[in-house]
Amino acid sequence: MHKQNFSIESEGKPTDLIFGEFTTYEDIRKRLGHQKRDVHYLKIDIENMEWSVLPQLVKGGHLDRVSQLAIEVHTMDIIKAPPEKILPMLQSYWQILESLKQLGFLRANHRFNTVLETTFHDREQNRSISTCMEILYIKRGFNRRLHMQHHLPPPEVPL
């Protein structure tokens, strides 16, 4: 268990600093005694922290033994970002998702999460755009025995 100060956004405004505890994926696996087991299905729903956690999971080799990965991704930061920062933000998100492809993960399914708080309203075009999506990845050719024989270095992902 790790303790940390953090702030979350509520109704478009950051909250005061909150002191909280969080557990890492590695800590959970240790607590369950699953360090050497394959993971058939891993669900990540960590409310916009996926963009900082996914690169660490990739670089640390924590997804090597995962055969299916479900992630809820959030891009609502772009709603309030200055126009010149939107494209670099989206490019960094894309690069992180592309790093999953380098590990052998293929997108099998996706669906927009249309929760009202994560919807961007484009008044000029009179439409709503979801900034939250559920994505399911399946690892191509996942074979534990082969994987353990041919361990490849993780792809380069910026932290």
Side-chain angles (χ1 to χ4, degrees):
M1 203 62 75
H2 304 275
K3 297 182 182 198
Q4 179 177 333
N5 289 326
F6 58 94
S7 177
I8 59 174
E9 193 169 298
S10 175
E11 297 178 11
K13 298 175 186 166
T15 63
D16 292 333
L17 277 180
I18 300 168
F19 183 72
E21 295 180 356
F22 67 93
T23 302
T24 66
Y25 176 63
E26 191 174 347
D27 290 342
I28 293 168
R29 286 183 60 110
K30 282 179 187 171
R31 186 172 27 145
L32 296 172
H34 289 182
Q35 301 96 313
K36 296 181 181 180
R37 296 183 71 178
D38 291 338
V39 175
H40 299 285
Y41 184 87
L42 175 62
K43 169 69 173 168
I44 298 175
D45 184 355
I46 51 178
E47 303 309 318
N48 208 36
M49 293 301 296
E50 63 274 8
W51 304 118
S52 56
V53 170
L54 277 171
Q56 293 175 22
L57 291 175
V58 169
K59 279 191 173 221
H62 300 291
L63 300 178
D64 291 351
R65 296 182 69 172
V66 174
S67 57
Q68 295 180 68
L69 177 63
I71 310 169
E72 181 179 69
V73 296
H74 305 81
T75 59
M76 60 267 225
D77 309 14
I78 66 168
I79 294 173
K80 295 186 176 126
E84 68 276 5
K85 294 203 178 217
I86 293 173
L87 185 58
M89 289 170 73
L90 291 174
Q91 287 172 326
S92 73
Y93 298 157
W94 181 256
Q95 187 175 22
I96 291 167
L97 294 178
E98 282 293 295
S99 72
L100 296 175
K101 190 188 295 183
Q102 292 174 21
L103 291 178
F105 285 103
L106 300 174
R107 189 181 73 212
N109 196 6
H110 71 277
R111 74 172 182 83
F112 289 103
N113 187 339
T114 55
V115 176
L116 190 58
E117 297 84 35
T118 65
T119 302
F120 172 69
H121 301 287
D122 182 352
R123 292 186 180 154
E124 284 184 24
Q125 296 185 15
N126 194 27
R127 65 181 180 152
S128 296
I129 302 166
S130 177
T131 63
C132 183
M133 180 183 289
E134 303 270 351
I135 307 173
L136 172 64
Y137 290 94
I138 297 176
K139 190 174 281 177
R140 172 186 55 232
F142 183 77
N143 180 319
R144 180 174 180 249
R145 198 171 295 133
L146 265 177
H147 169 75
M148 299 312 283
Q149 291 172 357
H150 304 289
H151 184 72
L152 300 173
E156 289 296 315
V157 180
L159 288 178

